[in-house]
């Protein structure tokens, strides 16, 4: 999988480089950021997932965190919110490879575990009264492999959770596990009803086939319930969804780049069709005719192209009449005066003016040809990237 991701990163960086002067910087920044995140993913092995526990106040995230890693290290208490800063549990054998990734995420609170084989992050509450806590959640989520959303029987349909997080992030549904915690507070027949309603809520969010588990991480008496089933669900995700979030993000950013570049435009053949006509106008000392011919074409292509490339074409079109006048002045004097050619029809297009006019036009239009060639290449690279990560 690392080899596959390396190839995709290379395609991404090529697309970014090729479009650097053709789209707005903000469009490229998103794709470049995803490439950086993908390179960070290469720092640790395929078999290790970085998993975030997210959920609202009182859902029991920290209790579940402690159960999964086999140690009471995340504080659990009556005061809310209990978790103010993310806490990461790191598998002992992978502590060094994961250190750099956690440094980039700014997660300084870490413990080492011998029980859980993945990196598990306990996040602050998604509905915390402290705004910075919610922002911290939103900073970390894009940089993890899997998110386990922890809900409880009372607030599993909480609008803040569904409208702020689950619905907008539904495209990552394959990388989500939704855990109904505290099922010990329900009667046996109620569990199935709540789970079914939770699945319905997730479907409404746009998550087509949600991964749902139910458990009691810290029942008042007896051992935890359903945790082994959750471990099995995580193990299944390890094989099927590795790099899934990155692929979704890259696909979305590639499509944004394609939109920013604009649709394919047939520039070369349309230009070839009018360059000779414009050269004939110049050879006949009709600068206005040459200007009208080329300006009309460039304005049409600029409108079809749009974006930064279209603006550059329009800017070029504005300066074109003056440049054509300069070309006309540089052409050799005709053997027969132009007024006499028009009156008599004699030798209307002398080679001693037509050939230099053609060459001068090709030189004049060379930067525009490079612009449109670069745009076509960037569009091809962005399309290839989009198809690769489907």
């Amino acid at each position: 999988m690392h080899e596959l991701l390396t190839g995709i990163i290379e395609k991404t960086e090529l697309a970014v480089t090729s479009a650097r002067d053709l789209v707005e910087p903000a469009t490229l920044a998103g794709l470049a950021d995803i490439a950086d995140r993908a390179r960070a993913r290469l720092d640790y092995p395929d078999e290790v997932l970085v998993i975030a526990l997210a959920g609202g106040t009182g859902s029991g995230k920290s209790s579940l965190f402690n159960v999964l890693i086999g140690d009471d290290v995340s504080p659990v208490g009556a005061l809310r919110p209990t978790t103010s800063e993310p806490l990461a549990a790191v598998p002992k054998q992978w502590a060094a490879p994961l250190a750099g990734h956690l440094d980039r995420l700014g997660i300084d609170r870490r413990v080492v575990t011998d029980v859980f084989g993945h990196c598990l992050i306990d996040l602050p509450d998604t509905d915390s009264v402290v705004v910075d806590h919610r922002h911290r959640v939103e900073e970390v989520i894009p940089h993890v492999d899997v998110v386990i959303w922890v809900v409880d029987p009372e607030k599993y349909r909480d609008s803040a959770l569904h409208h702020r997080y689950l619905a907008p992030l539904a495209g990552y549904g394959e990388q989500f596990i939704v855990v109904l915690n505290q099922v010990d507070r329900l009667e046996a027949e109620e569990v199935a009803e709540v789970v079914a309603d939770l699945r319905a809520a997730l479907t409404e969010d746009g998550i087509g086939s949600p991964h749902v588990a139910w458990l009691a991480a810290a029942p008042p008496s007896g051992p935890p319930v359903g945790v082994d089933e959750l471990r099995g669900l995580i193990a299944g995700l390890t094989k099927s969804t590795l790099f899934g979030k990155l692929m979704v993000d890259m696909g979305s950013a590639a499509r944004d780049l394609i939109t920013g570049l604009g649709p394919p435009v047939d520039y070369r053949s349309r230009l070839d069709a009018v360059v000779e006509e414009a050269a004939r106008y110049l050879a006949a000392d009709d600068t206005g005719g040459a200007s009208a011919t080329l300006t009309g074409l460039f304005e049409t292509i600029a409108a079809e192209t749009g974006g930064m490339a279209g603006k550059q074409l329009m800017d070029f079109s504005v300066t074109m009449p003056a440049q054509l006048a300069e070309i006309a002045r540089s052409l050799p004097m005709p053997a027969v005066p132009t007024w006499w050619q028009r009156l008599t029809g004699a030798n209307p297009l002398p080679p001693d003016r037509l050939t230099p006019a053609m060459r001068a036009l090709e030189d004049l239009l060379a930067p525009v040809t490079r612009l449109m060639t670069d745009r076509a290449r960037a569009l091809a690279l962005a399309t290839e990237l989009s198809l690769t990560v489907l």
Side-chain angles (χ1 to χ4, degrees):
M1 291 297 288
H2 271 50
E3 184 176 336
L4 170 64
L5 188 58
T6 299
I8 290 173
I9 291 170
E10 291 173 353
K11 289 180 185 291
T12 303
E13 291 175 340
L14 276 175
V16 169
T17 301
S18 68
R20 199 170 301 280
D21 298 321
L22 299 170
V23 298
E24 297 297 333
T27 301
L28 285 183
L31 195 55
D33 176 66
I34 295 165
D36 289 342
R37 283 161 44 194
R39 285 210 175 277
R41 184 58 181 87
L42 295 175
D43 288 346
Y44 54 97
D46 289 357
E47 60 267 30
V48 180
L49 295 174
V50 174
I51 303 172
L53 286 175
T57 302
S59 61
K61 287 187 298 87
S62 297
S63 297
L64 180 57
F65 180 90
N66 291 336
V67 170
L68 286 172
I69 70 168
D71 199 357
D72 291 335
V73 295
S74 189
V76 178
L79 295 177
R80 308 295 185 200
T82 301
T83 305
S84 59
E85 277 294 325
L87 170 64
V90 187
K92 185 176 182 180
Q93 66 271 38
W94 306 123
L98 285 163
H101 186 51
L102 295 174
D103 287 343
R104 282 186 289 270
L105 294 181
I107 299 178
D108 300 322
R109 300 174 63 223
R110 306 171 196 178
V111 295
V112 176
T113 175
D114 290 324
V115 175
F116 195 64
H118 305 292
C119 177
L120 189 65
I121 302 172
D122 187 13
L123 294 174
D125 296 335
T126 55
D127 59 355
S128 172
V129 294
V130 182
V131 175
D132 286 348
H133 291 185
R134 299 199 301 270
H135 290 168
R136 195 74 178 94
V137 172
E138 291 160 10
E139 288 173 357
V140 173
I141 283 179
H143 302 275
V144 301
D145 299 313
V146 175
V147 182
I148 298 178
W149 300 94
V150 185
V151 299
D152 62 67
E154 292 178 348
K155 297 195 298 181
Y156 67 91
R157 271 192 175 267
D158 178 67
S159 61
L161 175 66
H162 288 271
H163 294 162
R164 186 181 181 114
Y165 295 101
L166 291 173
L169 299 174
Y172 304 121
E174 283 297 312
Q175 285 72 53
F176 291 166
I177 299 174
V178 183
V179 170
L180 176 65
N181 193 15
Q182 303 172 9
V183 295
D184 53 296
R185 295 164 48 194
L186 300 171
E187 298 297 331
E189 62 274 11
E190 292 177 321
V191 173
E193 294 176 4
V194 173
V195 169
D197 193 40
L198 173 58
R199 287 186 180 276
L202 295 172
T203 301
E204 292 168 10
D205 292 331
I207 302 175
S209 301
H211 304 293
V212 178
W214 54 96
L215 53 82
S221 61
V225 176
V227 175
D228 287 342
E229 287 76 5
L230 175 60
R231 291 180 188 274
L233 199 52
I234 293 170
L237 289 181
T238 305
K239 297 177 182 178
S240 63
T241 66
L242 190 62
F243 307 149
K245 279 181 79 282
L246 285 171
M247 298 302 101
V248 171
D249 288 342
M250 281 186 178
S252 176
R255 289 188 292 274
D256 288 345
L257 178 55
I258 292 170
T259 300
L261 288 167
V265 173
D266 179 12
Y267 167 78
R268 186 71 256 181
S269 63
R270 290 159 72 181
L271 179 67
D272 290 343
V274 300
V275 164
E276 184 174 349
E277 180 183 356
R280 289 177 178 274
Y281 278 121
L282 288 176
D285 204 23
D286 185 355
T287 305
S291 178
T293 299
L294 291 174
T295 300
L297 174 66
F298 278 101
E299 289 178 350
T300 300
I301 292 178
E304 294 175 8
T305 300
M308 288 178 62
K311 183 179 183 305
Q312 291 178 61
L313 288 174
M314 285 301 297
D315 291 344
F316 183 83
S317 179
V318 169
T319 65
M320 193 183 305
Q323 296 183 76
L324 291 174
E326 184 66 28
I327 289 174
R329 285 191 293 270
S330 69
L331 294 178
M333 293 296 293
V336 178
T338 303
W339 64 268
W340 181 256
Q341 296 174 30
R342 291 173 179 167
L343 181 64
T344 64
N347 193 24
L349 293 174
D352 59 343
R353 285 176 64 86
L354 180 58
T355 301
M358 286 287 291
R359 290 173 179 167
L361 280 180
E362 289 173 358
D363 291 342
L364 172 65
L365 300 175
V368 181
T369 300
R370 284 195 296 272
L371 170 67
M372 297 303 290
T373 301
D374 290 346
R375 179 182 178 274
R377 179 174 181 270
L379 193 55
L381 289 170
T383 302
E384 181 182 2
L385 175 63
S386 178
L387 293 174
T388 300
V389 299
L390 280 178

